[in-house]
Amino acid sequence: MPLAAMASASSSPCSRHPLILVVLLCAIAAISFSSSVAAGTVGGGTGGLGPISTNGKNYTKVCDPARFVALGLDMSRFRYCDASLPYADRVRDLVGRLALEEKVRNLGDQAEGAPRVGLPPYKWWGEALHGVSDVGPGGTWFGDVVPGATSFPLVINSAAAFNESLWRAIGGVVSTEIRAMYNLGHAELTYWSPNINVVRDPRWGRASETPGEDPFVVGRYAVNFVRGMQDVDDRPYAAAADPFSRPIKVSSCCKHFAAYDVDAWFKADRLTFDAQVEERDMVETFERPFEMCIRDGDASCVMCSYNRINGIPACADARLLSETVRSQWQLHGYIVSDCDSVRVMVRDAKWLNYTGVEATAAAMKAGLDLDCGMFWEGARDFFTTYGVDAVRQGKIKEGDVDNALSNVYTTLMRLGFFDGMPEFESLGASNVCTDGHKELAADAARQGMVLLKNDARRLPLDPNKINSVSLVGLLEHINATDVMLGDYRGKPCRIVTPYNAIRNMVNATYVHACDSGACNTAEGMGRASSTAKIADATIVIAGLNMSVERESNDREDLLLPWNQSSWINAVAMASPTPIVLVIMSAGGVDVSFAHNNTKIGAIVWAGYPGEEGGTAIADVLFGKYNPGGRLPLTWFKNEYVNQIPMTSMALRPDAALGYPGRTYKFYGGPAVLYPFGHGLSYTNFSYASGTTGATVTIHIGAWEHCKMLTYKMGAPSPSPACPALNVASHMCSEVVSFSLRVANTGGVGGDHVVPVYTAPPPEVGDAPLKQLVAFRRVFVPAGAAVDVPFALNVCKTFAIVEETAYTVVPSGVSTVVVGDDALVLSFPVTINLAV
């Protein structure tokens, strides 16, 4: 687009201010890949070979008679290709045919296969955090008939929607595009997503990849995304006679287990960090999302993390991997290392001064099945390098290798890698980047937008009254072709930038875009201020990017970098009307300066909203969409990070050290700018319920045992006969049910997130202030009301984790709290434990 086309020639500031950087904004209107590329023949694209290539021809399943003929083999002689046999028998036959050296060559992420028995190579490493990604060693790639795939908002954005059906829908679209790409030779079938580590500290660099700070929300996200990725149909996996035979669409992997949330903070590094964690925190916070992912989501993979936990590397901890993940939680799949984790034990952590052979043996005996070890340039995974020696030196049994291979090849059997999966064989290029998929990406971005501030109803902007807009900010945010996509992204179908979308809403758009070094100069602030004076409304887009918060890079503070606050205030002062501030970030940012500035009328958190992010931003700002997102993590003031080191893993306050506690569950101090669950709307809602209280009597069976409770010092001790019930020993059928009427008392329809918390009896010590136990996102038309029912299982929703790490239901009066911010309804629930 010519420069003059950005505004009418008579009103354009370009001739008066030639340094205004608008050139690229006009040229890059939208980067788009057509979703109507010619459909490729199922089984191969034109630019490469795969997923199963034999003598230059592509196949979509191993057990194809023609493929075996091409190899000079008779498929009928290989029982592992007999589809009438149970998977366990077939895998036993496959593994039994391999020599030790062949077995070991298939224990790494780039498995070499065994042509002698018809087994092809396989690249295990795939990423699908928020869309199909080409990060990794080439198992997924874009080009020819698949130039791109749908790039959804970052996970922290999707989490802000608090919408379980959305999360499952995203997983379903991602897996559909993977199956289509697999048929075309562009993808494999195993993807190491989602990341379900809890954001314990607001400085963590990988907050963008996760669903936030609450373990229940993180767990529910995991369950729904995994089910969307894996489920072939809507049948519950528990109904399968043999869950190890249940077909799965795409294998999904929950990572990084466990207590991993320090990447690089001053001298602390994830490769050498030893997380000192109490058992209570492990059960209550760090393990809970993974347990939900496995038990409720039936994830077919778990990835262990780089760090040590109480001295033991996570990938060599038999108590975590074999006892907890596989035995207690019943994993129906395989366990893989984060890439190079086994090497890290030797090279970085120098754990027990182990050699490569010893580290390999320790990890495999602990329960690790697959070693991703091709991350570093020139490196090779330890299992492949040292596996044979580990067996021959007597460190492990060959049967340990057999068990590992059985777990990984059973997973591939369930994926149809050996037999095909007719439900998905018709998928091709026309099923990638569809209009429906792009609209879901846009809707996900809209649902995740959070309105943080809206003084005097500055938003929405009325397009009938706002004819011109001044758009001010960093070039990378205004023309966010890169920032919106975040990390672990692939090639998007297209990119709709904030500039592209906003300029379609108004007649004239004036732009001042600068790079991070030029914004805060006297000249830069002068030009920004001048731009703000000439339009009906001023929109500032600011925030962070992947150079500030990403994997291997934690933040040192919570402030806007590059002195953005200075020039934002200058723009606000110059603007004749209160400005609108849009923040792009994953973690919370201390924007107290903007919250307290009356010249900044509204603040919208846009996160990193994916390929359709510009559309979502414009739709929210101009009232085409009423924002309903809620913050999935607490936005602290910067003073908070000066009170506690990032390396302190404890969640509860520590008076002896002066540490204030973490997350909304344990921090009740003044350093909160916007609390967990905060989010405004363009309308108003009210709550009403016929439930004013409830009483539950739980009869303690003869086989059950009461547990002690920790009471607050100085609090009157109720001394009940049974202070608490151990959840693990109880049938847990008791339920507290209630219905909530949500009324929209404003003039515009909108979504509303109903959060439900429980708070333990006030005399109980060292317990959460409150904990989220349920949530529902509902649409309520203007002037209407909807009834939202809830049924709270007492064991799941009123339980707390005691100091002893028992999960218990306390006797006494707990409280149900519905709502956040100013809209709250609560009622007591008396729990009697009858001995």
Side-chain angles (χ1 to χ4, degrees):
M1 177 186 300
L3 187 62
M6 298 182 66
S8 62
S10 60
S11 60
S12 172
C14 300
S15 59
R16 298 192 298 275
H17 305 294
L19 293 182
I20 294 175
L21 304 182
V22 295
V23 178
L24 288 179
L25 298 178
C26 303
I28 308 174
I31 298 174
S32 175
F33 292 119
S34 173
S35 62
S36 59
V37 291
T41 303
V42 173
T46 62
L49 300 177
I52 304 169
S53 176
T54 302
N55 294 339
K57 185 176 180 180
N58 295 326
Y59 299 87
T60 56
K61 60 183 180 181
V62 172
C63 297
D64 186 320
R67 179 179 167 274
F68 273 75
V69 169
L71 289 169
L73 301 172
D74 181 359
M75 194 179 84
S76 66
R77 300 182 59 184
F78 295 88
R79 296 184 76 244
Y80 76 82
C81 279
D82 185 348
S84 68
L85 297 175
Y87 286 163
D89 292 348
R90 297 172 64 184
V91 169
R92 190 178 303 111
D93 176 72
L94 172 60
V95 174
R97 292 175 181 272
L98 303 178
L100 174 61
E101 291 79 6
E102 290 173 317
K103 293 175 182 178
V104 167
R105 287 198 290 269
N106 287 282
L107 291 174
D109 65 289
Q110 298 194 54
E112 297 181 20
R116 180 180 63 85
V117 300
L119 182 66
Y122 185 80
K123 294 180 178 179
W124 285 88
W125 183 357
E127 301 285 355
L129 181 71
H130 57 110
V132 188
S133 170
D134 54 356
V135 171
T140 303
W141 60 281
F142 296 105
D144 62 72
V145 296
V146 188
T150 308
S151 185
F152 288 92
L154 269 291
V155 175
I156 194 71
N157 287 70
S158 296
F162 283 85
N163 186 340
E164 296 194 46
S165 62
L166 172 69
W167 301 337
R168 184 162 181 173
I170 291 173
V173 166
V174 173
S175 60
T176 292
E177 296 196 344
I178 288 171
R179 291 301 307 212
M181 292 174 64
Y182 174 79
N183 290 341
L184 297 165
H186 281 257
E188 300 289 1
L189 293 173
T190 48
Y191 284 77
W192 296 340
S193 303
N195 179 342
I196 58 168
N197 297 112
V198 171
V199 183
R200 171 188 56 89
D201 189 287
R203 291 162 286 194
W204 189 33
R206 302 187 75 171
S208 68
E209 302 177 34
T210 79
E213 73 179 34
D214 182 80
F216 175 71
V217 173
V218 175
R220 291 308 303 168
Y221 178 89
V223 169
N224 284 280
F225 182 82
V226 168
R227 293 294 300 272
M229 286 279 282
Q230 292 196 161
D231 284 4
V232 174
D233 53 37
D234 292 329
R235 289 174 297 181
Y237 76 87
D242 176 14
F244 288 99
S245 298
R246 187 177 76 92
I248 51 179
K249 186 179 179 184
V250 170
S251 175
S252 186
C253 189
C254 285
K255 62 184 184 184
H256 312 79
F257 189 68
Y260 164 61
D261 55 7
V262 173
D263 268 66
W265 184 72
F266 293 102
K267 293 184 179 180
D269 179 88
R270 63 180 179 171
L271 305 183
T272 58
F273 183 60
D274 186 1
Q276 298 296 305
V277 186
E278 294 182 0
E279 283 301 307
R280 172 167 55 179
D281 287 336
M282 282 294 288
V283 171
E284 182 178 56
T285 298
F286 299 114
E287 290 184 348
R288 189 183 185 194
F290 289 90
E291 181 177 7
M292 295 170 69
C293 180
I294 295 168
R295 287 187 184 274
D296 302 330
D298 194 31
S300 54
C301 169
V302 168
M303 175 183 283
C304 54
S305 53
Y306 289 115
N307 56 291
R308 285 168 286 160
I309 303 172
N310 300 326
I312 304 174
C315 290
D317 193 331
R319 188 174 72 93
L320 286 178
L321 304 187
S322 291
E323 180 183 328
T324 302
V325 170
R326 193 166 293 283
S327 297
Q328 292 182 12
W329 298 345
Q330 292 291 296
L331 173 71
H332 307 127
Y334 69 100
I335 301 174
V336 63
S337 70
D338 201 347
C339 295
D340 245 18
S341 288
V342 183
R343 183 187 305 273
V344 162
M345 298 178 200
V346 177
R347 183 193 62 202
D348 301 281
K350 297 178 174 54
W351 182 56
L352 302 179
N353 291 317
Y354 268 7
T355 64
V357 169
E358 291 169 325
T360 294
M364 187 168 291
K365 286 196 291 187
L368 187 65
D369 300 311
L370 192 70
D371 180 17
C372 177
M374 303 298 289
F375 186 71
W376 306 103
E377 184 177 355
R380 198 162 181 238
D381 65 86
F382 263 34
F383 276 18
T384 298
T385 303
Y386 297 107
V388 171
D389 288 342
V391 172
R392 289 178 175 163
Q393 293 179 24
K395 306 291 186 183
I396 55 174
K397 299 177 291 186
E398 187 172 353
D400 296 328
V401 176
D402 294 347
N403 288 338
L405 288 176
S406 295
N407 290 328
V408 297
Y409 282 118
T410 298
T411 303
L412 288 181
M413 285 275 183
R414 296 175 62 195
L415 285 162
F417 181 70
F418 286 87
D419 303 325
M421 197 165 284
E423 297 94 326
F424 308 117
E425 289 177 357
S426 64
L427 297 176
S430 62
N431 301 105
V432 181
C433 288
T434 68
D435 290 343
H437 294 178
K438 287 181 284 189
E439 175 52 34
L440 181 64
D443 191 46
R446 294 185 196 102
Q447 290 194 39
M449 295 281 161
V450 181
L451 181 61
L452 300 175
K453 172 185 177 181
N454 196 24
D455 286 357
R457 297 191 179 274
R458 182 69 185 102
L459 290 178
L461 303 175
D462 187 344
N464 295 317
K465 297 179 181 178
I466 303 296
N467 293 312
S468 61
V469 166
S470 290
L471 194 56
V472 180
L474 296 181
L475 176 63
E476 63 182 26
H477 290 135
I478 291 175
N479 195 54
T481 56
D482 181 76
V483 173
M484 291 196 307
L485 301 180
D487 214 351
Y488 282 92
R489 78 284 190 95
K491 302 290 190 300
C493 307
R494 64 181 185 183
I495 300 176
V496 182
T497 71
Y499 166 70
N500 289 327
I502 290 171
R503 72 188 181 91
N504 288 328
M505 293 286 187
V506 292
N507 294 328
T509 307
Y510 307 97
V511 179
H512 175 80
C514 53
D515 61 37
S516 58
C519 291
N520 199 46
T521 64
E523 183 180 24
M525 285 197 287
R527 297 189 182 283
S529 299
S530 297
T531 305
K533 294 177 180 179
I534 57 178
D536 296 332
T538 297
I539 299 170
V540 173
I541 305 181
L544 312 180
N545 62 26
M546 289 293 116
S547 74
V548 177
E549 50 176 354
R550 69 176 189 282
E551 184 174 3
S552 300
N553 189 67
D554 298 320
R555 290 191 283 167
E556 296 179 5
D557 60 50
L558 305 180
L559 302 175
L560 283 175
W562 315 305
N563 294 310
Q564 291 178 80
S565 58
S566 296
W567 60 258
I568 292 172
N569 278 330
V571 170
M573 184 63 66
S575 176
T577 57
I579 70 169
V580 174
L581 176 61
V582 177
I583 297 292
M584 288 191 184
S585 76
V589 183
D590 184 355
V591 290
S592 299
F593 76 93
H595 179 77
N596 297 325
N597 189 339
T598 57
K599 291 282 289 180
I600 299 176
I603 306 173
V604 174
W605 177 69
Y608 299 125
E611 66 170 50
E612 306 292 327
T615 297
I617 291 171
D619 285 351
V620 166
L621 296 186
F622 286 88
K624 293 182 67 175
Y625 187 85
N626 185 357
R630 302 291 188 97
L631 289 180
L633 39 72
T634 304
W635 279 37
F636 289 98
K637 299 174 184 177
N638 192 55
E639 65 194 63
Y640 174 82
V641 300
N642 297 322
Q643 300 173 23
I644 185 169
M646 191 172 176
T647 49
S648 171
M649 299 298 292
L651 276 293
R652 286 165 173 78
D654 188 328
L657 295 173
Y659 295 166
R662 297 184 178 278
T663 76
Y664 78 92
K665 293 175 69 174
F666 300 105
Y667 179 78
V672 172
L673 178 61
Y674 298 116
F676 173 91
H678 174 72
L680 306 177
S681 172
Y682 294 154
T683 189
N684 298 308
F685 297 96
S686 66
Y687 289 163
S689 177
T691 300
T692 57
T695 299
V696 178
T697 299
I698 300 176
H699 295 280
I700 308 300
W703 62 92
E704 296 180 290
H705 299 281
C706 297
K707 298 297 178 185
M708 299 306 295
L709 270 181
T710 302
Y711 292 103
K712 293 177 181 176
M713 291 187 63
S717 177
S719 301
C722 184
L725 170 68
N726 182 11
V727 166
S729 66
H730 190 62
M731 290 292 291
C732 294
S733 58
E734 295 83 4
V735 173
V736 173
S737 297
F738 68 97
S739 183
L740 182 77
R741 171 152 290 195
V742 181
N744 183 340
T745 59
V748 58
D751 284 354
H752 180 71
V753 173
V754 181
V756 179
Y757 301 88
T758 60
E763 65 272 13
V764 176
D766 256 2
L769 300 172
K770 63 179 181 178
Q771 55 189 356
L772 189 70
V773 297
F775 56 88
R776 194 81 51 80
R777 185 176 180 124
V778 294
F779 177 79
V780 188
V786 297
D787 292 323
V788 186
F790 290 95
L792 306 181
N793 179 280
V794 171
C795 287
K796 291 182 178 180
T797 58
F798 290 90
I800 60 174
V801 181
E802 244 294 306
E803 184 179 23
T804 57
Y806 279 117
T807 300
V808 300
V809 174
S811 173
V813 182
S814 294
T815 305
V816 171
V817 181
V818 184
D820 283 306
D821 295 330
L823 181 57
V824 176
L825 179 149
S826 65
F827 59 87
V829 175
T830 302
I831 298 177
N832 299 314
L833 302 178
V835 180

